[in-house]
């Protein structure tokens, strides 16, 4: 199943070219964390979804609908630094996720399809990183890699937008709008092997990244296992699994798109509205 959020408070199943509204059928009480979060916090979301009679529910055309981020305020976004060998080479980085561990992005950095991504600094490069996003469905703590996928609800295209300043990694990746997520979450049963997906990312229509998730250093299983050894992963948490080679600067007025096999295409625009010079950031000396 593909699960989208519309109008901030409604959960829809994407069925062919229709959005079927399942909010009332599931009795979802909605807050600012969104209707999918409310569903994921229940005992068995997959069973509830399977029990729905979609043909009997109200629907509207997918075409032209404005979709929101499926999870607008995840409890946490866990990131994997340097998790593809070709990206390790382009960054001239000696280490990988095996040495660096994971990092956190602020939940408030999430933005939905369309964006915009806001460039914070006029004079410091901000890059796109196209990534496979993993949505946790079941609480995970000290989970072994061979059981890790039992804790995954689904997958979603994600952009890990990053400023290449000297600031700490969590700062550089946590500006508001720096985690575009969407267009929807596809449940794990429809995805199969998460290490056999093609990921492509375009900036201003130019293909910058074209890779297979088979080339991750830590696969989804290993990332869930590793992260759950550090922190409790909760339903609705998102893991950004790292980016392949081909990262590069964004420019105001431009666009970014990331597409992953079977998961859809996420597109956002880029603006420098509100950007400041790096030397003018608060507290700079
Ligand atoms: Mn990244």
């Amino acid at each position: 199943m593909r699960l989208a959020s519309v109008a901030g408070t409604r959960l829809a199943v994407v069925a062919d070219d229709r959005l079927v509204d399942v909010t009332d059928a599931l009795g979802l009480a909605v807050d600012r964390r969104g209707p999918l979060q409310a569903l994921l916090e229940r005992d068995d979301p997959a069973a509830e979804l399977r029990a729905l009679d979609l043909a009997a529910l109200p629907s509207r055309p997918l075409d032209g609908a404005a979709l929101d981020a499926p999870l607008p305020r995840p409890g946490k976004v866990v990131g994997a630094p340097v998790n593809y060998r070709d990206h390790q080479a382009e960054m001239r980085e000696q280490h990988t996720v095996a040495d660096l561990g994971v990092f956190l992005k602020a939940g408030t950095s999430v933005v939905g399809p369309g964006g915009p991504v806001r460039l914070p600094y006029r004079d410091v490069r901000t890059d796109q990183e196209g990534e496979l996003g993993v949505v946790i469905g079941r609480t995970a703590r000290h989970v072994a890699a061979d059981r890790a996928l039992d804790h995954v609800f689904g997958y979603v295209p994600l952009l890990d937008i990053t400023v290449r300043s000297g600031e700490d990694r969590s700062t550089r990746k946590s500006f508001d709008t720096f985690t575009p997520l969407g267009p929807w979450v596809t449940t794990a049963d429809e995805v199969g092997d998460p290490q056999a997906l093609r990921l492509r990312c375009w900036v201003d229509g130019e293909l910058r990244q074209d890779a297979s998730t088979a080339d991750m250093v830590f696969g989804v299983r290993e990332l869930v296992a590793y992260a759950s050894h550090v922190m409790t992963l909760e339903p609705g948490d998102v893991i950004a699994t790292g980016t392949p080679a081909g990262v590069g600067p964004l420019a105001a007025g431009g666009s970014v798109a990331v597409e992953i096999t079977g998961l859809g295409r996420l597109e956002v625009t880029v603006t420098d509205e509100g950007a400041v010079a790096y030397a003018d950031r608060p507290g700079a000396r």
Side-chain angles (χ1 to χ4, degrees), residues 13-284:
V13 170
V14 183
D16 299 320
D17 56 352
R18 308 284 298 176
L19 286 166
V20 181
D21 192 317
V22 299
T23 320
D24 297 336
L26 293 171
L28 294 174
V30 176
D31 61 18
R32 65 192 177 84
R33 298 180 68 198
L36 180 55
Q37 181 69 45
L39 176 62
L40 291 178
E41 288 177 359
R42 293 191 177 173
D43 288 341
D44 195 348
E48 292 202 46
L49 289 168
R50 278 194 304 272
L52 291 170
D53 177 10
L54 294 180
L57 298 175
S59 73
R60 56 187 283 197
L62 171 62
D63 190 35
L67 303 181
D68 303 314
L71 292 161
R73 287 294 176 268
K76 53 186 169 294
V77 179
V78 179
V82 203
N83 199 29
Y84 286 78
R85 292 290 177 191
D86 57 355
H87 178 60
Q88 179 187 22
E90 80 174 343
M91 298 306 286
R92 296 184 183 83
E93 169 64 64
Q94 300 302 309
H95 303 290
T96 72
V97 62
D99 316 293
L100 300 169
V102 292
F103 62 88
L104 291 173
K105 300 188 69 153
T108 42
S109 66
V110 170
V111 69
V117 167
R118 296 183 180 278
L119 304 176
Y121 299 130
R122 283 201 299 269
D123 50 357
V124 180
R125 172 174 156 178
T126 295
D127 287 359
Q128 106 289 352
E129 296 187 354
E131 307 196 4
L132 171 68
V134 176
V135 176
I136 298 298
R138 200 150 65 77
T139 300
R141 178 68 172 147
H142 296 304
V143 171
D146 62 358
R147 302 299 305 179
L149 295 189
D150 296 348
H151 297 263
V152 172
F153 176 77
Y155 300 92
V156 58
L158 178 153
L159 286 162
D160 175 19
I161 305 294
T162 305
V163 172
R164 302 291 175 206
S165 65
E167 295 162 296
D168 182 78
R169 187 179 253 114
S170 286
T171 298
R172 295 187 290 107
K173 293 168 174 286
S174 282
F175 287 88
D176 281 8
T177 76
F178 269 27
T179 310
L181 203 63
W184 45 68
V185 173
T186 302
T187 51
D189 60 300
E190 290 198 4
V191 176
D193 182 0
Q195 308 311 143
L197 307 175
R198 185 183 184 189
L199 182 157
R200 284 177 294 172
C201 186
W202 296 259
V203 174
D204 303 335
E206 174 202 346
L207 183 65
R208 280 197 185 167
Q209 298 183 281
D210 187 353
S212 169
T213 57
D215 296 332
M216 287 182 189
V217 176
F218 273 31
V220 173
R221 290 170 184 80
E222 289 76 25
L223 286 173
V224 170
Y226 183 91
S228 79
H229 138 93
V230 178
M231 62 190 95
T232 302
L233 300 176
E234 297 180 319
D237 285 351
V238 174
I239 301 177
T241 56
T243 202
V247 304
L250 302 176
S255 64
V256 190
V258 56
E259 190 173 319
I260 302 176
T261 317
L263 304 186
R265 180 184 176 92
L266 168 67
E267 292 191 53
V268 294
T269 59
V270 179
T271 180
D272 64 355
E273 194 184 324
V276 300
Y278 190 62
D280 291 339
R281 70 194 189 283

